Amino acid sequence: MQINGFSKLSKKDKINWLLKTYLYDVPEAAQILKQYWHNDVALQTLHDSFIENTISNFYLPYGIAPNFLIDGKTYALPMVTEESSVVAAASKSAKFWQDKGGFKTQVIDTIKTGHIHFIYEGETADLIIFFREHRAELLASVADLQMNMQKRGGGIKDINLIDRTDKLAHYYQIEFKFDTADAMGANFINTVLEEAAETLVKAAEVQLPAKLTILMRILSNYTPDCLVKVSVSCPVSDLAQDSLSGEAYAQKFIQAVAVAKVEPYRAVTHNKGIMNGIDAVVLATGNDFRAVEANAHAYAAKSGVYTSLSDAKIENGYFYFYLEIPLAVGTVGGITAIHPLVKFSLQLLQNPSATDLMRLMASAGLAQNFAALNSLITGGIQIGHMKMHLNNLLTFLKATEAERQKAQSYFSDKKVSFKDLKKLLQRD
Ligand code: MEV
């Protein structure tokens, strides 16, 4: 079955079509969609316009992790996530590090890359001469496009011809290096690449003896040179916990990180924990979480083996825990100026620059990683996780207020399990 012109239908007709085609036996379907429509028509229209074929809004909780001391300034981080324990874990971690100097960050660089990928079936030597002679022309052809970006301190930083024929027959790139200032820069980069590619083709038709075929003109979401480092540190003795001395705790923590460094099965979960924190801030600030995820995991595999993004050590009686991650994010452009909650997040963060945001996100990632490892090497993650998840289970079981209170009090000193909860509320 194919429907044509779906995007041209009104919202009501789109829903009617869905109801009669797929949801004929779900009487409440239309109401489920409608209850998430915003009463404010203008606001709903704004949300409708973000993507194609909008039929409703999909809510995720928007939470706050306060007490994040980052480079001497205290922030309340906005976090959007569906995972119940993430905000609690970040908050706990932030508080722990707040009186120990907090998170210290360093932005290493902010360079992003884009490519014109093309095939040239002639001699490489001809292409090298051609590129040398037309480099200035390529740049001139995008001068107008980059004028605004240059005013904001960004623009094209370099362009080079790259010979990739060792990997794929006749395959070359023109590689552009960009600084996109406070923008994530995807639209700017892709516009520049498309314009430059046109110039390249025109010049090649006249100047090159063989045919040059453009394959793609696209930014790379891999930005190993748009990189931020974050660390926390404290005297080892400050890490003492119940039955563990500071030294024993630090050693166990370092070994847990060492496992993630050598074992990809663990590294993926370890890094997922880091991304729990980062993605939540990425979403709250209207950034592209797919780009951030792809980038982070590619960076984790940059040596050819997937490994931990964070590391830990003891030096001169101090425990150090640190993370290095590429983050290509923006505080202007995209939906930053039009989504009311994204605007709110940026205001809450005191209108950060893109590099500030890199620092904040990396700190959220390290905090989350610390919280996860802390739980894993002590009581396990399920105590905290299931405590937070208890609310979801209660909702699932349609618990009354009295039952909620009964369950909260019963599980206050016990591990939460669905089986025990059902027994407690006599739902078996
Ligand atoms: C759960 O979302 C994240 C953790 O699995 C991360 C980790 O294991 O380090 C707790």
Side-chain angles (χ1 to χ4, degrees):
M1 181 200 6
Q2 185 178 62
I3 176 161
N4 294 314
F6 185 72
S7 66
K8 307 260 168 14
L9 298 180
S10 67
K11 189 192 283 189
K12 192 164 157 242
D13 288 344
K14 284 186 183 100
I15 293 172
N16 282 339
W17 181 80
L18 290 172
L19 296 179
K20 80 170 188 277
T21 313
Y22 299 108
L23 299 154
Y24 37 81
D25 55 354
V26 187
E28 70 281 20
Q31 185 48 31
I32 291 174
L33 291 177
K34 278 187 192 161
Q35 70 191 1
Y36 285 98
W37 288 359
H38 208 286
N39 289 334
D40 178 335
V41 175
L43 197 54
Q44 186 54 57
T45 308
L46 173 72
H47 281 266
D48 289 350
S49 70
F50 287 146
I51 61 166
E52 180 111 314
N53 298 341
T54 311
I55 55 167
S56 192
N57 306 304
F58 189 96
Y59 289 1
L60 282 178
Y62 182 112
I64 295 293
N67 298 319
F68 262 91
L69 178 61
I70 301 169
D71 299 324
K73 214 166 140 185
T74 306
Y75 295 87
L77 295 189
M79 302 183 91
V80 171
T81 180
E82 91 300 343
E83 191 171 327
S84 37
S85 55
V86 165
V87 177
S91 306
K92 193 173 162 200
S93 219
K95 207 164 173 189
F96 178 83
W97 288 106
Q98 192 177 27
D99 62 3
K100 297 174 182 63
F103 297 81
K104 309 265 167 55
T105 73
Q106 190 191 357
V107 172
I108 308 300
D109 214 335
T110 56
I111 294 297
K112 290 155 193 169
T113 308
H115 299 99
I116 302 174
H117 301 274
F118 66 95
I119 297 292
Y120 182 64
E121 295 192 14
E123 294 296 323
T124 303
D126 291 340
L127 204 52
I128 292 172
I129 295 167
F130 167 82
F131 178 70
R132 205 181 297 142
E133 286 173 354
H134 289 83
R135 192 177 182 279
E137 187 186 333
L138 283 179
L139 284 172
S141 71
V142 292
D144 283 356
L145 289 177
Q146 56 161 344
M147 218 146 67
N148 273 341
M149 188 55 89
Q150 281 172 329
K151 275 188 204 142
R152 284 154 41 197
I156 298 168
K157 296 295 154 194
D158 202 5
I159 69 170
N160 284 297
L161 171 69
I162 314 268
D163 178 354
R164 300 294 266 160
T165 52
D166 57 329
K167 299 272 183 229
L168 185 68
H170 312 301
Y171 168 43
Y172 300 86
Q173 309 164 340
I174 308 282
E175 183 182 76
F176 286 66
K177 297 284 184 189
F178 298 91
D179 189 321
T180 57
D182 284 333
M184 188 266 192
N187 281 333
F188 167 69
I189 293 176
N190 291 335
T191 307
V192 165
L193 293 173
E194 290 189 5
E195 185 66 33
E198 264 187 44
T199 311
L200 179 71
V201 168
K202 278 188 200 136
E205 270 166 14
V206 182
Q207 302 283 326
L208 279 172
K211 190 165 166 49
L212 183 153
T213 309
I214 304 282
L215 291 177
M216 295 173 285
R217 306 137 295 169
I218 187 73
L219 91 165
S220 172
N221 286 121
Y222 185 44
T223 67
D225 296 321
C226 187
L227 196 65
V228 57
K229 280 186 181 178
V230 57
S231 66
V232 285
S233 69
C234 68
V236 168
S237 53
D238 284 4
L239 295 170
Q241 276 207 14
D242 307 331
S243 58
L244 280 178
S245 70
E247 179 66 26
Y249 179 98
Q251 291 297 354
K252 207 169 171 191
F253 193 102
I254 289 167
Q255 274 178 333
V257 176
V259 170
K261 283 164 74 179
V262 299
E263 171 52 73
Y265 274 95
R266 172 59 201 150
V268 171
T269 318
H270 177 98
N271 290 342
K272 188 271 183 184
I274 294 171
M275 301 315 289
N276 273 346
I278 294 180
D279 281 340
V281 183
V282 168
L283 278 170
T285 56
N287 276 284
D288 179 342
F289 63 92
R290 287 87 56 216
V292 168
E293 281 281 336
N295 200 6
H297 296 292
Y299 193 74
K302 68 180 187 304
S303 68
V305 178
Y306 190 92
T307 185
S308 165
L309 286 163
S310 64
D311 206 346
K313 65 180 179 188
I314 297 175
E315 226 171 66
N316 302 324
Y318 267 75
F319 168 77
Y320 293 87
F321 183 42
Y322 43 99
L323 165 69
E324 184 180 286
I325 188 164
L327 282 168
V329 292
T331 55
V332 299
I335 59 166
T336 52
I338 47 177
H339 193 300
L341 274 174
V342 170
K343 273 206 278 190
F344 173 87
S345 297
L346 295 172
Q347 283 159 351
L348 176 70
L349 297 173
Q350 315 288 292
N351 299 313
S353 63
T355 50
D356 291 338
L357 198 53
M358 289 166 75
R359 297 172 197 274
L360 305 185
M361 286 173 178
S363 302
L366 192 69
Q368 207 70 39
N369 195 204
F370 179 77
L373 288 169
N374 175 58
S375 298
L376 287 168
I377 63 165
T378 56
I381 61 158
Q382 285 309 89
I383 297 178
H385 192 78
M386 291 305 285
K387 269 221 166 89
M388 296 305 300
H389 194 51
L390 178 59
N391 274 329
N392 294 343
L393 297 178
L394 286 164
T395 306
F396 180 71
L397 292 175
K398 300 191 171 55
T400 62
E401 192 46 44
E403 285 177 324
R404 280 181 180 268
Q405 280 177 18
K406 182 176 173 187
Q408 302 284 7
S409 129
Y410 177 80
F411 287 111
S412 63
D413 56 355
K414 292 178 200 65
K415 243 185 194 172
V416 177
S417 87
F418 191 46
K419 190 164 147 263
D420 292 346
L421 178 63
K422 279 204 299 189
K423 203 161 151 204
L424 182 76
L425 303 186
Q426 296 164 343
R427 292 293 205 280
D428 279 322

